[in-house]
Amino acid sequence: MTKPEPLPRILNANDLATGDVVYWSGSKWTRHIAEAEMIADNDAADALGKTEMAARRVVDVYPFEVNFENGVPVPARYRERVRSLGPSVRLDLGKQAGE
Amino acid sequence: MYKYDDFDHAIVNARVDEFRDQVARRVAGELSEDAFKPLRLMNGLYLQLHAYMLRVAIPYGTLSADQLRMLAHIARSYDKNYAHFTTRQNIQYNWIKLAEAPDLLADLARVEMQAIQTSGNCIRNITTDQFAGATAEEVADPRPYAELLRQYSTFHPEFSFLPRKFKIALTAAPHDRAAIKLHDIGLELYKNATGDIGWRVFVGGGMGRTPIIGKVLREFLPQAYFLGYIEAIMRVYNRYGRRDNIYKARIKILVHELGLEEFHRQVDAEWADIQKTFAEPPAVELERISAFFVNPTFETIATPVAIYDDARKTNPAFDHWVERNVCAHKQQGYSIVTISLKAVGEIPGDASADQMDTIAALADQYSFSDVRVTHEQNLVLPHVRQIDLFALWEKLKDIGLASDNVGLASDIIACPGMDYCSLANARSIPIAQDIAKRLAPIERSTGELKIKISGCINACGHHHAGHIGILGVDKKGEENYQLSLGGSAAEDTTLSTILGPGFDADGVVNAVEKIVACFNTIKRDNERFLDTYRRVGTAPFKEAVYG
């Protein structure tokens, strides 16, 4: 059986000051997952995470898998989907509500 | 309720100042995240799925109306107009900003509240019976002892870095509303055959990934030795509890591995040693604390109260609410009211800032400004005149909090689950909402049914103790739910047994409906679900669910 191709990954974290979920766009952290850039080099992503945490901009940096749908990354796991949108039981809160 | 003295104010304010400095140093880069994380956790500030979460301690679940108003103010000023009451009688805010946390803590301190020891490997918030001081069942009010324990354990230098977190619960009533046998230490105050009052001490209970029912360590501990004996237990645990494996670090594992007899021997040896030097607080100190918990000035009320009885006879909805949400009070003409935070379809344990403000006003008007939080995520007004119950019910209806479902199928315990919690593997809240909607039409005829849902193995939703327990797990990236039956957190504590293979979210709701339908066909007379389960076992329910 052939091993499935690994899914692309993007980098996310929490903003140090606000705790807000943010994504690495390639040049800066953004609140919008649609602006996230795919990780091309795992070692570089690790190094970037360490640098950004040391710079006190973010905490808890980690990568996760996504599927690109119409060019937009969609988290493969439900946990990251909830994180990118907001609580599924409070659609009036979080990024899904335009906050 | 207890009022801070100058010393209490000083240490809490000093802690706020200290945390303000720590936050400033973190933001300025003088503290790394590795250095800062344990400091923020010691002040109750977690980093969760969407933002920082602050857990505020509500010691033994007792709040004044002014404190509840402050909690509402915090929800408005620092969060998104709501908060979540937890299964440890605490409250959590989900959208806190780091820079604002010190101001928030300063606001809390103004009403004698704090978030100390709501995280970390220390003695956590002491919990007790939400009916303490109001129920005729108890032999004494357990809250002075809970407060004594709170003072003893707060910032206790020897017990600030235990092998793992440590939870203590007390009750003074034979009907256990505090789940004492599912705590690291459970304490039951009772009167023995010779009429003396003392503690039955349970040790090594807990839920989580290894659920164990606490065992009786001492059948009768005279009150005079209360703190010394607890100190002896803590010392044995602190010395020998495992620090090499987080999953084996709780006291329940130590008790299990040593065996109760050997653990008992070690505690007794430690206790004998302690008594040479340990000074129990003088009686005058317990009296000082007890003075804060004296009965309010109850009126002398003749019963039956005609207006109340007439309202029950003429208004079935009110009568249903009284039947489920109102309990007997020790004082004639008064009742204990449970305010359900489980309106069908709403989020269990959540309350809006407006609701909190209104409940505070109702507590002022009807319950001597006294509010309690239950581990089942409801609120209590402990001292309400029966003559006021109808008016109170009407006002609760106005804010959507007159659900007449306490102890019924829609009164579900649910942890925040994967909608908020970074540890969760599955969502809990939507499962609770769907089950509540599905079962609400038949819940009155079904009778007492405690459904408890956790979104991960840590069991904050007490699924091990549910008549029907649901555990959310991750199955190859998808949410999956295991069903278990037969748990209880009451005086007849039992752990639930897994029924069979798990389900997806829709499947588990359907399965619960089938279990309840099965119960309603096989129950005898007014038998509770739990009693039917204990009589017939899993077989008929397995058949109903899996065919």
Side-chain angles (χ1 to χ4, degrees), chain B residues 253-512:
Chain B
I253 303 298
L254 180 66
V255 173
H256 178 72
E257 289 186 350
L258 286 178
L260 184 64
E261 196 177 332
E262 171 59 15
F263 185 80
H264 189 279
R265 189 194 65 75
Q266 293 193 15
V267 169
D268 271 4
E270 187 65 41
W271 192 35
D273 197 42
I274 278 174
Q275 287 183 72
K276 294 174 196 160
T277 53
F278 186 90
E280 290 282 346
V284 68
E285 176 59 8
L286 187 60
E287 284 166 19
R288 183 188 75 84
I289 292 174
S290 297
F292 292 106
F293 297 96
V294 294
N295 288 334
T297 311
F298 294 124
E299 295 171 26
T300 303
I301 299 173
T303 55
V305 178
I307 293 175
Y308 164 63
D309 288 345
D310 289 348
R312 289 193 69 174
K313 282 177 195 149
T314 56
N315 191 322
F318 173 62
D319 187 56
H320 290 165
W321 178 77
V322 170
E323 189 185 307
R324 293 308 322 174
N325 298 43
V326 176
C327 290
H329 196 281
K330 65 183 179 184
Q331 179 72 18
Q332 183 174 294
Y334 283 79
S335 293
I336 304 168
V337 172
T338 300
I339 300 171
S340 168
L341 297 181
K342 314 287 179 60
V344 173
E346 297 296 326
I347 297 173
D350 275 16
S352 69
D354 287 349
Q355 286 174 327
M356 286 189 263
D357 270 341
T358 303
I359 293 168
L362 294 174
D364 279 337
Q365 188 173 0
Y366 296 119
S367 186
F368 298 92
S369 305
D370 194 341
V371 183
R372 310 290 174 79
V373 183
T374 82
H375 85 267
E376 294 183 324
Q377 300 178 288
N378 292 316
L379 298 179
V380 167
L381 298 182
H383 312 295
V384 182
R385 294 188 310 175
Q386 288 176 351
I387 199 170
D388 292 327
L389 284 171
F390 187 76
L392 171 63
W393 174 70
E394 295 221 292
K395 288 174 182 173
L396 288 172
K397 276 200 299 180
D398 292 342
I399 55 168
L401 291 179
S403 297
D404 55 353
N405 60 355
V406 171
L408 298 180
S410 62
D411 182 11
I412 298 171
I413 290 181
C415 71
M418 206 163 64
D419 279 300
Y420 291 99
C421 178
S422 59
L423 299 176
N425 295 317
R427 290 172 297 161
S428 304
I429 298 167
I431 304 301
Q433 291 171 311
D434 287 350
I435 290 172
K437 285 182 207 160
R438 195 78 69 87
L439 296 183
I442 58 163
E443 66 181 351
R444 286 187 59 76
S445 58
T446 299
E448 184 184 286
L449 177 57
K450 303 209 172 193
I451 301 174
K452 305 183 182 185
I453 309 174
S454 303
C456 79
I457 195 70
N458 292 307
C460 295
H462 294 192
H463 65 279
H464 297 299
H467 297 179
I468 298 177
I470 299 173
L471 167 64
V473 298
D474 179 308
K475 192 174 178 187
K476 296 179 181 167
E478 298 294 328
E479 294 168 296
N480 193 266
Y481 297 91
Q482 288 178 355
L483 265 176
S484 53
L485 301 183
S488 169
E491 60 278 9
D492 58 352
T493 302
T494 47
L495 300 171
S496 60
T497 304
I498 294 176
L499 191 64
F503 303 88
D504 64 12
D506 289 338
V508 77
V509 178
N510 291 335
V512 169

